[in-house]
Amino acid sequence: MESGTREKARNVLKRILIAASYDVEEVGNPLDLSAIGSEDALVVLCSDDPETIEIFDSMTYRLRTGDDNRVCRKLLFALDPAVQTEDCIRWGSDEFARYAGRAALAEVLGQSLVLDFGCPPPAIRREPEKAGPAAVEEETEAGPELPHLPVQVAEKRACGIAGLHGSAKCRFIPYWSYHYVSTGEREVKDRLVSFDAEGAGAVNAINGMRMEIDPGTVERGPVPFGSEIVPSRLVREDVEEQLVRDVVERLTQRVRFRYEKGDAIFYEEKTLKPDRSNIKVDLETVYVPVWQVRGGSKIVEVNGFTGEVLSMPMDEGVELL
């Protein structure tokens, strides 16, 4: 879905939800809208991208208001009829046109639009009542539940590391966390060459850079509300293929043999490679928090887990100091 089409769709969906008495706000990528009603809450995505839709379909979004903690419904508007989902309210062009017309009529008549999502809203969980001053809480919301590294560097600290006086936005960057195992061996002229190996790491799903991620530091829970979840650009199949090629190259050995034939001595060199079918790679998406600090015309990105300034920006146009 082109950006212009997506923006138009977002504007119309916003009017539909407002006509249905929802309090609607635009949110950052990859989502488009959040809407709070009297009985339920919604998050809205306008997209035809399979990877973005898959992530949206698999995530759990929660809204916490006072003592109430409710799971949000997920509304997807997609023009591609081939898109498949399991845990979303799916609107195509027919539903879009029907509710857009009804919203316009409701506005003319001064009535509230009734949306039929075909399922009851998720249950609201009441948090245990607290005593004393702690019982008074501001309205807070939680972002989607993702496997991610925790934010250990606060916004103010990130601005100090960047050396800029300005605003900072927390973005969660996708990485393909991998673990590979290679097995097998080759025997040549009574010499045994083993290809047994094991390794792990992570590949940035935006620019392909490598980094180490300790699996023990990964949290599986909601990210801070308002954070931008950056969609992957590198697909699983391409990353897996590249990792297999790297492992094959790393384990390839050149072996030289000496043997005699008659009165002559010969040396023979062979290149031995592991069998690709004996290399198994497991992949999981893990998100790394990054503070994007803006000060005037300068933008610096700081790793929200380690506090390091990124050596390569996530997006074009970002200038690193």
Side-chain angles (χ1 to χ4, degrees):
M1 185 179 298
E2 297 181 355
S3 59
T5 302
R6 181 180 181 184
E7 182 178 358
K8 294 175 184 177
R10 181 193 304 124
N11 292 336
V12 174
L13 287 169
K14 185 175 182 179
R15 291 198 296 269
I16 292 174
L17 294 173
I18 290 175
S21 300
Y22 282 88
D23 181 12
V24 186
E25 290 186 4
E26 295 186 13
V27 295
N29 283 330
L31 301 180
D32 289 278
L33 301 170
S34 67
I36 302 175
S38 60
E39 297 182 354
D40 65 347
L42 288 168
V43 286
V44 181
L45 173 68
C46 304
S47 179
D48 286 325
D49 180 65
E51 290 186 25
T52 302
I53 293 174
E54 181 182 1
I55 294 174
F56 180 69
D57 190 40
S58 64
M59 294 306 153
T60 300
Y61 299 84
R62 298 181 183 274
L63 170 70
R64 182 175 299 157
T65 307
D67 292 334
D68 295 336
N69 187 355
R70 65 179 78 178
V71 177
C72 299
R73 298 176 188 261
K74 294 178 289 186
L75 174 59
L76 169 67
F77 171 59
L79 295 173
D80 184 359
V83 169
Q84 299 294 324
T85 60
E86 296 181 358
D87 192 31
C88 290
I89 301 163
R90 167 74 183 280
W91 280 10
S93 56
D94 291 342
E95 294 84 357
F96 185 87
R98 180 167 65 250
Y99 283 117
R102 291 182 180 178
L105 180 60
E107 184 177 352
V108 170
L109 299 177
Q111 298 175 349
S112 178
L113 174 65
V114 177
L115 297 177
D116 182 10
F117 293 127
C119 58
I124 299 175
R125 186 181 67 189
R126 180 74 61 179
E127 299 290 346
E129 189 170 321
K130 301 177 182 179
V136 180
E137 296 183 355
E138 295 182 357
E139 180 179 303
T140 58
E141 298 172 327
E145 295 186 356
L146 301 170
H148 66 280
L149 297 182
V151 180
Q152 297 189 149
V153 178
E155 178 179 356
K156 185 176 180 181
R157 176 58 179 156
C159 293
I161 293 173
L164 297 177
H165 295 286
S167 61
K169 181 178 183 180
C170 189
R171 312 172 75 222
F172 279 84
I173 308 300
Y175 277 75
W176 286 108
S177 177
Y178 65 85
H179 176 263
Y180 73 83
V181 175
S182 174
T183 57
E185 57 188 20
R186 292 275 301 276
E187 184 176 0
V188 181
K189 296 185 183 297
D190 299 326
R191 186 168 178 177
L192 190 65
V193 177
S194 174
F195 298 114
D196 292 345
E198 184 175 1
V203 178
N204 187 306
I206 305 297
N207 56 28
M209 293 187 66
R210 304 288 180 92
M211 73 174 291
E212 299 296 326
I213 292 181
D214 181 2
T217 61
V218 177
E219 296 182 350
R220 285 168 172 78
V223 301
F225 181 77
S227 301
E228 178 183 354
I229 312 301
V230 180
S232 299
R233 295 180 186 172
L234 303 182
V235 299
R236 174 188 292 268
E237 292 76 11
D238 292 343
V239 173
E240 182 176 357
E241 175 63 24
Q242 182 60 52
L243 288 171
V244 171
R245 288 200 298 264
D246 291 346
V247 173
V248 169
E249 182 178 353
R250 188 178 303 116
L251 297 180
T252 295
Q253 300 184 41
R254 299 174 63 183
V255 182
R256 181 174 294 181
F257 303 94
R258 178 184 181 277
Y259 65 93
E260 299 180 5
K261 188 175 182 180
D263 295 333
I265 296 176
F266 295 87
Y267 288 91
E268 181 180 354
E269 189 175 83
K270 287 184 176 292
T271 300
L272 304 180
K273 297 184 178 182
D275 189 336
R276 293 171 63 95
S277 63
N278 291 334
I279 301 174
K280 306 301 180 184
V281 179
D282 293 323
L283 291 170
E284 179 189 18
T285 304
V286 173
Y287 290 83
V288 177
V290 171
W291 286 106
Q292 189 177 80
V293 184
R294 295 175 178 267
S297 61
K298 305 293 185 181
I299 301 176
V300 178
E301 293 184 329
V302 178
N303 188 310
F305 177 68
T306 65
E308 298 176 338
V309 175
L310 299 189
S311 59
M312 180 177 291
M314 294 297 104
D315 295 317
E316 295 181 358
V318 176
E319 179 177 353
L320 296 180
L321 303 180

